Amino acid sequence: QVQLVESGGGLVQPGGSLRLSCAASGSIFSINAMGWYRQAPGKERELVARIISGSSTNYADSVKGRFTISRDNAKNTVYLQMNSLKPEDTAVYYCNVFVRVQSFRPPSYYWGQGTQVTVSS
């Protein structure tokens, strides 16, 4: 019903930058929220940043001031600009959207396939 295509991951040196993108497509009536989570080896998946319909955002304390989430409503796309990357940011990053596929149905969460971000010298 809803497909998410992520891009932008890769290998970057400490202090570098990356920009992740996630485009949602399919049967979409409205998108209530879009966000990014990450999971490092041996750790639980955690929220990185989220943007609610409109412009309300929230960030994990560990990325505040370094990461910026934004959204293009016309393209159903969410971005994560990551600056001043640290080795501890290394993880698989997952796009997550809270989508209503029909007006009379409650919204549901959908996940992307994940994109690897590695911060290493």
Side-chain angles (χ1 to χ4, degrees):
Q1 292 179 330
V2 177
Q3 297 79 44
L4 301 177
V5 177
E6 302 164 347
S7 61
L11 173 65
V12 64
Q13 292 186 343
S17 298
L18 283 174
R19 189 192 195 207
L20 305 183
S21 300
C22 173
S25 62
S27 179
I28 297 173
F29 176 77
S30 63
I31 299 179
N32 292 30
M34 305 183 84
W36 292 93
Y37 287 70
R38 67 186 181 187
Q39 188 167 19
K43 295 187 176 181
E44 294 186 352
R45 191 173 296 188
E46 62 175 0
L47 174 68
V48 177
R50 180 173 55 193
I51 184 165
I52 312 301
S53 58
S55 59
S56 176
T57 60
N58 56 306
Y59 295 89
D61 288 343
S62 60
V63 306
K64 284 181 180 177
R66 300 187 297 122
F67 291 10
T68 302
I69 190 169
S70 61
R71 175 176 168 178
D72 186 331
N73 292 327
K75 297 181 179 180
N76 287 340
T77 299
V78 62
Y79 305 96
L80 185 68
Q81 178 65 44
M82 304 185 294
N83 299 328
S84 303
L85 283 160
K86 304 175 181 180
E88 50 263 44
D89 294 318
T90 296
V92 178
Y93 284 68
Y94 295 91
C95 176
N96 174 265
V97 298
F98 194 43
V99 173
R100 190 185 300 271
V101 297
Q102 291 176 306
S103 61
F104 54 87
R105 295 180 62 179
S108 299
Y109 287 101
Y110 295 86
W111 291 93
Q113 79 282 0
T115 184
Q116 177 70 45
V117 171
T118 303
V119 185
S120 175
S121 55

